Amino acid sequence: MSGNTAGRAHYEELDRADRLAAFREKFDLPEGVIYLDGNSLGPPVKAVQGGLDQAVSGDWAKKLISSWNQAGWFNLPTELGDGIASLIGARPGEIIVGDSTSLNIFKLATALLKPDGNRRKVVVERGNFPTDIYILQGIVRLFEPRFELHLGEHDEIPGLIDEDTALVLLSQVNYRTGRRFDMREVTALAKTAGAPIIWDLCHSAGAFPIDLKGCGVEYAVGCTYKYINGGPGAPAYTYIASESIGAFEPVVTGWHGHARQFAFEVDYDPEVSIKKALVGTPSVLSLIALKEALSVWKDIDLNAIRAKSLALTDAFIALVEDRCAGHGLTLLTPREHDLRGSQVTWSVKNGYEIMQALIERGVIGDYRAPDAIRFGFTPLYTRFTDVYDAVTHLKDVLDTQEWRNPEFAVRRTVT
Amino acid sequence: MSGNTAGRAHYEELDRADRLAAFREKFDLPEGVIYLDGNSLGPPVKAVQGGLDQAVSGDWAKKLISSWNQAGWFNLPTELGDGIASLIGARPGEIIVGDSTSLNIFKLATALLKPDGNRRKVVVERGNFPTDIYILQGIVRLFEPRFELHLGEHDEIPGLIDEDTALVLLSQVNYRTGRRFDMREVTALAKTAGAPIIWDLCHSAGAFPIDLKGCGVEYAVGCTYKYINGGPGAPAYTYIASESIGAFEPVVTGWHGHARQFAFEVDYDPEVSIKKALVGTPSVLSLIALKEALSVWKDIDLNAIRAKSLALTDAFIALVEDRCAGHGLTLLTPREHDLRGSQVTWSVKNGYEIMQALIERGVIGDYRAPDAIRFGFTPLYTRFTDVYDAVTHLKDVLDTQEWRNPEFAVRRTVT
C-alpha cells in the first residue's frame, strides 16, 4: 500500500471492534458484493419475507377484508410514522406514512402556499433532487402568475429567504454532493422571515441523528427506501409538528383523512390528527415490508450510526486520495463533518464508465450525471473492509483503464 | 324450501356446469367462508406468495438497485396498465398503474379544470363513493371562488351537464346501490356539452366487460383491489385515451413522469406517453402482487364473467325475496341487468347487526351506513351453492333474530 493510509489488516481490526457489526446479520445481502448504494435502495432485512408471508397467507387470505381492523392495517400509516419519529427527532403522532415523497411535497406545498396572501417567492436549491423542483414548478404553473420559483445555489439560499418568501423547500442533504444544510440555522431564518419551510429528509433520515423538534421544524417529508431500507418504492412519510397540525388545511382531501371515514358523509371534514394528511387507501404490502425494516431500528443508537458513518466516509476519502491519486478525482462532498451526510461523491471524467467497471467487479455505487460517482455508506451493514476493498477495486479500474471497455459506452447510450 | 326457487341440488348442478368453476382453484380462500365482499377486497391468488418471494429474495436481495432495470421494476406501471387495458376496452399505452384512486382523480381533475376558461360547474353524483367528492371539494376550495360543486342524484346528472360544466366525475357503478350509469350515453352527452368527463371504474373493472373505446371515454381511474384482486391498497390506475395524451398537461409533476428521468434536468418536461401521469417512485412490492393477480385474467372471457355474474345476482335476489320474505328487506339494486354491476344491496332495519351475525357465521358481506347490507358477487371464485348457502344463513339470522346479540350493538359503537 501507499503512503498515508494503513493496510487491510487495520480495517479488519476496525470491523472487529465495530459495535454495530452484528446488525449486518439482519440483512439479506448477496455474497461477494460491496454495496455502496444503500442511499439509493437499501437491501431487505431478513424479516421482510416472513412479514409478507404472514400478511398474504395469514391475514389477507385467511381473514380477508377483516384484516383492515384485525391485522391492524388501518393503523400502519400512524404506527410506522411513530417508528420513523424516533429516527428524526419527532414525537409520536407527528408522522404519517403513505404515498411518495413527490406527492407528499405536493400535499404540503399546496396547503402552505396562500394565494390570498402577498408573498410571491418559492425558494428551492437549484441542485436539489429534481422531483422536488418539478413538483413546485407544477404548483407555480397551477397558480400562474401568482407565485415565482426562485432557484439558488446552496450558499445563496439564506439570501433568498425574506418577507416576500411564500415557501422554502430544502433537502437537508444534497443527493448528488452529500452537502448538508444547517437545519437549525435555516429553519430559524425562515421563521424570522415568516416563511414556511419544508425539509426533505430523503438523504438524511437513518443516516445520522436529526432533531426536528430541537430545530423547530414544522414540516418535513422523506422516503423510506434509502437508509431506512423499506423496499423498492416503499411509501414515504409526512411530518407536521403537533402544534401545527391543527391549522394545517389539506388541499388533497381523500377519505382516509376524513374524521369519520366510514360514515360516508358527503362533506369532507378532516381528522384532527396527523391522519388528515392521508388521502387514498395505502398500499398495505409495501407498508408491511417497511414495518419489518423499521423493527431493526428499534434498539439503535443514532449517535453510534453517525460515528461509524463518519469513520467510514473519512476512511474512504483518505484511501481514495492516497491510493487513487493522479487519476483526476475531485471530491464534491464537503470534508467537514457538520457539512455532510453519509455519502461521498467524486467528479471524474468518464465517471459513467468507471462506475460500470466497478459494478462489474461487484462494487455497487452509482453515477449521477454529468460526471459524478457516488458512494453511500450505511453503517448498519457496511464494513470497514468493504471500504478498503472498494478502493482497491477503484484503484485497479483506474490503473488498468478497465473502464475503457466499449460495452460500457454502449450501455451509457441506452440508460 | 319455499315456493319460487329451487333447492340446493339445483345450485350444485349449476356449479357443475360452470365453465368458470376452475378459476376458484387459483385463489387462496379460507375454508368454511362464503366471501361476498370481493367488491371491497378481493382474495389473493395463490401465485402472489411466489411472486413476492421472487421479488424480495430473488430480485431485491440479490440484485439490489439493479433490479429497477434487470427485474423490470421500471416497466411495471405501464406493463400492468396494459394488463388492465384488456379488461376495460382500452388499448396498450393508455393506462398507467400507480398511486391511489383518490390521487389519480386529483391528478386528472386538476389538469382538466381550466381556471382561465369560463365554465363553473363541477358535477358529481351525491351518492358517489365519498372520496371522489372530497377530492373535488379540495380542488374547488383551492381555486375558490372559481368553480362550484354541483351534486345531483343519479337521475339528475344528465340535466346538470351543460355549457357551464367544467368537469363531470361519475362512478360507473354506485358503491352502495350497485346502480350503473349508461357510460356511452352520458359520455356522449358530456362531449356534446364540451365538458370533460372522468369515469371511476372501481366497482366495474373486472365485474363486467367495459368498452372505454367504444363509449368514447377520454379519462378514467379505478382501483385494483376489488374485482381485480390486486391486494389491500393495491395501486390504482389512470386511463387517458391515446388521442388525448398529447394535450394532457399534468399539474402534479414528478420525476417518474419526466421525459428524461435520469438526466436530472432542472426543468420538468413531461414524457410524451401515458407515463406523464406518473409522479413519484411506485411501490414495487404492491405492484408485484397486482401483477400476479392480473395474470389470472389473461385467458378470461369477460362475457362469461358477466353471464355468471348476472346468474349469481339474479339467483340471490330471487332466493332472498322468496326465502326471507316478510323480514323487511328492500332491494336497492336495480333488477334490470343493464342498470347494475355485480353486487346486490338491501336496505333493512338493523342492517349493521344483521351483517355482524352473518359474518359470525362465515358469510362475509358488508354494511354501508345508514341501513344497507351489501353482497358482492365475483364470478372467478363465487359458486352458485355459495349463493344458496348465504341465503340460508341470512334466513336463519332473520328467523331466529340472532342479530339481537348485544355484542353486535357494542361493536357498532366502536367501528
Side-chain angles (χ1 to χ4, degrees):
Chain A
M1 92 236 46
S2 43
N4 307 312
T5 48
R8 196 173 193 277
H10 171 68
Y11 300 91
E12 288 165 9
E13 184 52 43
L14 290 176
D15 282 336
R16 278 191 292 273
D18 177 14
R19 286 186 303 146
L20 295 173
F23 282 100
R24 185 175 165 93
E25 277 308 302
K26 293 187 179 284
F27 289 87
D28 191 356
L29 285 160
E31 284 297 314
V33 166
I34 298 174
Y35 194 53
L36 302 178
D37 207 11
N39 55 333
S40 188
L41 173 66
V45 297
K46 288 176 180 165
V48 166
Q49 196 61 66
L52 286 171
D53 277 358
Q54 171 60 32
V56 173
S57 304
D59 301 328
W60 180 12
K62 299 269 186 321
K63 290 180 281 173
L64 298 154
I65 188 71
S66 327
S67 286
W68 277 102
N69 286 305
Q70 290 176 26
W73 292 347
F74 271 125
N75 300 331
L76 287 171
T78 46
E79 178 189 337
L80 304 191
D82 289 350
I84 292 168
S86 59
L87 296 181
I88 60 179
R91 288 181 292 232
E94 296 187 320
I95 297 181
I96 192 97
V97 174
D99 301 323
S100 63
T101 307
S102 304
L103 284 165
N104 290 339
I105 290 172
F106 187 93
K107 289 189 260 174
L108 285 180
T110 48
L112 295 175
L113 283 169
K114 301 296 175 199
D116 51 355
N118 49 17
R119 291 167 178 254
R120 290 177 305 120
K121 286 160 59 178
V122 176
V123 174
V124 65
E125 189 190 0
R126 183 185 304 278
N128 197 92
F129 189 73
T131 205
D132 301 28
I133 302 176
Y134 300 159
I135 289 289
L136 295 178
Q137 286 170 342
I139 296 173
V140 166
R141 207 159 40 238
L142 180 70
F143 287 108
E144 213 151 32
R146 180 61 189 78
F147 299 106
E148 281 170 17
L149 195 65
H150 286 247
L151 300 164
E153 302 305 323
H154 183 103
D155 294 331
E156 296 168 349
I157 294 297
L160 289 173
I161 302 174
D162 57 29
E163 69 290 343
D164 193 28
T165 303
L167 180 67
V168 183
L169 169 60
L170 293 177
S171 290
Q172 186 182 16
V173 173
N174 185 283
Y175 80 104
R176 191 163 175 279
T177 62
R179 187 165 175 190
R180 178 174 169 179
F181 277 103
D182 186 322
M183 178 181 271
R184 189 183 307 270
E185 193 178 287
V186 183
T187 303
L189 197 63
K191 196 155 282 183
T192 303
I197 178 167
I198 301 169
W199 285 99
D200 178 338
L201 308 176
C202 283
H203 286 272
S204 36
F208 51 81
I210 303 173
D211 185 10
L212 291 185
K213 277 300 116 183
C215 294
V217 173
E218 279 184 283
Y219 311 101
V221 298
C223 78
T224 63
Y225 50 72
K226 299 179 185 293
Y227 295 94
I228 296 175
N229 312 305
Y237 57 90
T238 301
Y239 157 89
I240 305 176
S242 52
E243 53 276 21
S244 306
I245 290 174
F248 184 81
E249 289 183 36
V251 164
V252 191
T253 48
W255 72 308
H256 278 258
H258 195 285
R260 294 163 303 282
Q261 181 178 4
F262 285 95
F264 299 112
E265 296 170 11
V266 170
D267 288 313
Y268 182 76
D269 182 21
E271 272 270 0
V272 294
S273 74
I274 186 71
K275 289 181 79 174
K276 66 165 71 168
L278 277 177
V279 181
T281 308
S283 283
V284 170
L285 298 180
S286 291
L287 289 169
I288 294 291
L290 173 58
K291 180 177 177 170
E292 298 299 338
L294 281 170
S295 70
V296 168
W297 288 95
K298 284 203 174 104
D299 312 313
I300 290 175
D301 172 7
L302 282 157
N303 292 307
I305 292 282
R306 179 60 170 169
K308 183 175 171 188
S309 158
L310 290 172
L312 290 167
T313 47
D314 282 348
F316 184 70
I317 293 171
L319 281 163
V320 171
E321 293 192 328
D322 182 19
R323 303 178 70 203
C324 306
H327 284 294
L329 285 94
T330 305
L331 185 64
L332 293 183
T333 305
R335 256 169 238 281
E336 300 86 330
H337 288 177
D338 287 353
L339 298 188
R340 61 172 147 105
S342 195
Q343 70 182 64
V344 176
T345 309
W346 310 84
S347 80
V348 60
K349 211 180 156 199
N350 306 301
Y352 179 85
E353 289 78 8
I354 291 167
M355 184 52 72
Q356 291 298 312
L358 283 172
I359 291 170
E360 288 287 315
R361 285 167 166 261
V363 180
I364 303 179
D366 58 20
Y367 165 77
R368 284 294 176 251
D371 65 351
I373 53 175
R374 185 180 79 160
F375 303 88
F377 296 87
T378 46
L380 286 183
Y381 52 84
T382 302
R383 296 166 298 201
F384 288 92
T385 44
D386 291 334
V387 172
Y388 184 85
D389 294 342
V391 178
T392 301
H393 284 293
L394 177 60
K395 176 177 163 55
D396 282 358
V397 163
L398 294 168
D399 286 350
T400 62
Q401 303 203 353
E402 184 173 305
W403 55 268
R404 288 188 182 272
N405 183 335
E407 261 187 45
F408 301 155
V410 173
R411 252 182 242 176
R412 182 172 196 155
T413 62
V414 299
T415 300
Chain B
M1 97 236 40
S2 43
N4 306 312
T5 49
R8 195 173 195 277
H10 170 68
Y11 300 91
E12 288 165 8
E13 184 51 44
L14 290 176
D15 281 336
R16 277 191 294 271
D18 177 15
R19 286 186 303 148
L20 295 173
F23 283 101
R24 186 175 165 92
E25 277 309 301
K26 294 187 180 283
F27 290 87
D28 190 355
L29 286 160
E31 285 296 316
V33 166
I34 298 174
Y35 193 53
L36 302 178
D37 207 11
N39 55 333
S40 187
L41 174 66
V45 297
K46 287 175 180 165
V48 166
Q49 195 63 66
L52 285 171
D53 277 359
Q54 171 60 32
V56 173
S57 304
D59 301 329
W60 179 13
K62 299 268 187 318
K63 290 180 282 174
L64 299 153
I65 188 72
S66 326
S67 287
W68 276 101
N69 286 305
Q70 290 176 25
W73 292 348
F74 271 125
N75 300 330
L76 287 171
T78 46
E79 177 190 338
L80 304 190
D82 290 349
I84 292 168
S86 58
L87 296 181
I88 60 179
R91 289 181 293 232
E94 295 188 321
I95 297 182
I96 192 98
V97 173
D99 301 324
S100 62
T101 306
S102 304
L103 284 166
N104 290 339
I105 290 172
F106 187 92
K107 288 189 259 174
L108 285 180
T110 48
L112 296 174
L113 283 170
K114 301 297 174 198
D116 50 355
N118 49 16
R119 291 167 177 253
R120 288 177 305 120
K121 287 159 60 178
V122 176
V123 173
V124 65
E125 189 190 2
R126 183 186 305 277
N128 197 92
F129 189 75
T131 204
D132 302 27
I133 302 177
Y134 300 159
I135 289 289
L136 295 178
Q137 286 171 342
I139 295 173
V140 165
R141 207 162 39 240
L142 180 69
F143 287 109
E144 211 152 32
R146 179 63 188 78
F147 299 105
E148 281 170 18
L149 195 64
H150 287 248
L151 299 164
E153 302 305 324
H154 183 103
D155 295 332
E156 296 168 349
I157 294 298
L160 289 173
I161 302 174
D162 57 28
E163 69 289 344
D164 193 28
T165 304
L167 180 67
V168 183
L169 168 60
L170 292 177
S171 290
Q172 186 181 17
V173 173
N174 185 283
Y175 79 104
R176 193 164 173 278
T177 63
R179 187 168 176 188
R180 179 173 168 179
F181 276 103
D182 185 324
M183 179 181 269
R184 190 182 307 270
E185 193 178 287
V186 183
T187 302
L189 197 64
K191 196 154 283 183
T192 303
I197 178 167
I198 301 169
W199 286 100
D200 178 337
L201 308 177
C202 283
H203 286 272
S204 36
F208 51 82
I210 303 173
D211 185 10
L212 291 185
K213 276 301 116 182
C215 295
V217 173
E218 280 185 284
Y219 310 101
V221 297
C223 78
T224 63
Y225 49 72
K226 298 179 186 291
Y227 295 94
I228 296 175
N229 312 305
Y237 57 89
T238 301
Y239 157 90
I240 305 177
S242 53
E243 54 275 22
S244 306
I245 290 174
F248 184 81
E249 290 183 36
V251 164
V252 190
T253 48
W255 73 308
H256 277 259
H258 196 284
R260 294 164 301 281
Q261 179 178 4
F262 285 96
F264 299 110
E265 297 170 11
V266 170
D267 288 313
Y268 181 76
D269 181 21
E271 271 269 1
V272 294
S273 74
I274 186 70
K275 289 181 80 174
K276 66 165 72 167
L278 278 177
V279 181
T281 307
S283 283
V284 170
L285 298 179
S286 291
L287 289 170
I288 294 291
L290 173 58
K291 179 177 179 172
E292 298 299 338
L294 280 170
S295 70
V296 169
W297 289 93
K298 284 204 175 106
D299 312 312
I300 291 176
D301 172 8
L302 283 157
N303 292 306
I305 292 282
R306 179 60 169 169
K308 183 176 172 187
S309 157
L310 290 173
L312 291 167
T313 48
D314 281 347
F316 184 69
I317 292 171
L319 282 162
V320 170
E321 292 191 330
D322 183 19
R323 304 176 71 202
C324 305
H327 283 294
L329 285 94
T330 304
L331 185 64
L332 293 183
T333 305
R335 254 170 240 280
E336 299 86 329
H337 288 175
D338 287 353
L339 299 188
R340 61 171 146 102
S342 195
Q343 70 181 66
V344 176
T345 310
W346 309 85
S347 80
V348 60
K349 209 177 156 198
N350 305 302
Y352 179 85
E353 289 77 8
I354 290 167
M355 184 51 73
Q356 291 298 311
L358 282 171
I359 291 170
E360 288 288 315
R361 284 166 166 260
V363 179
I364 303 180
D366 58 21
Y367 165 77
R368 284 294 174 253
D371 66 352
I373 54 177
R374 186 180 78 161
F375 302 89
F377 295 87
T378 45
L380 286 184
Y381 52 84
T382 303
R383 297 166 298 202
F384 288 92
T385 44
D386 290 334
V387 172
Y388 184 85
D389 294 343
V391 178
T392 302
H393 283 292
L394 177 59
K395 177 177 162 53
D396 282 359
V397 162
L398 294 167
D399 286 351
T400 62
Q401 302 205 352
E402 188 173 302
W403 56 267
R404 288 188 183 273
N405 182 336
E407 261 186 44
F408 301 153
V410 173
R411 250 182 244 176
R412 182 173 196 154
T413 62
V414 299
T415 299

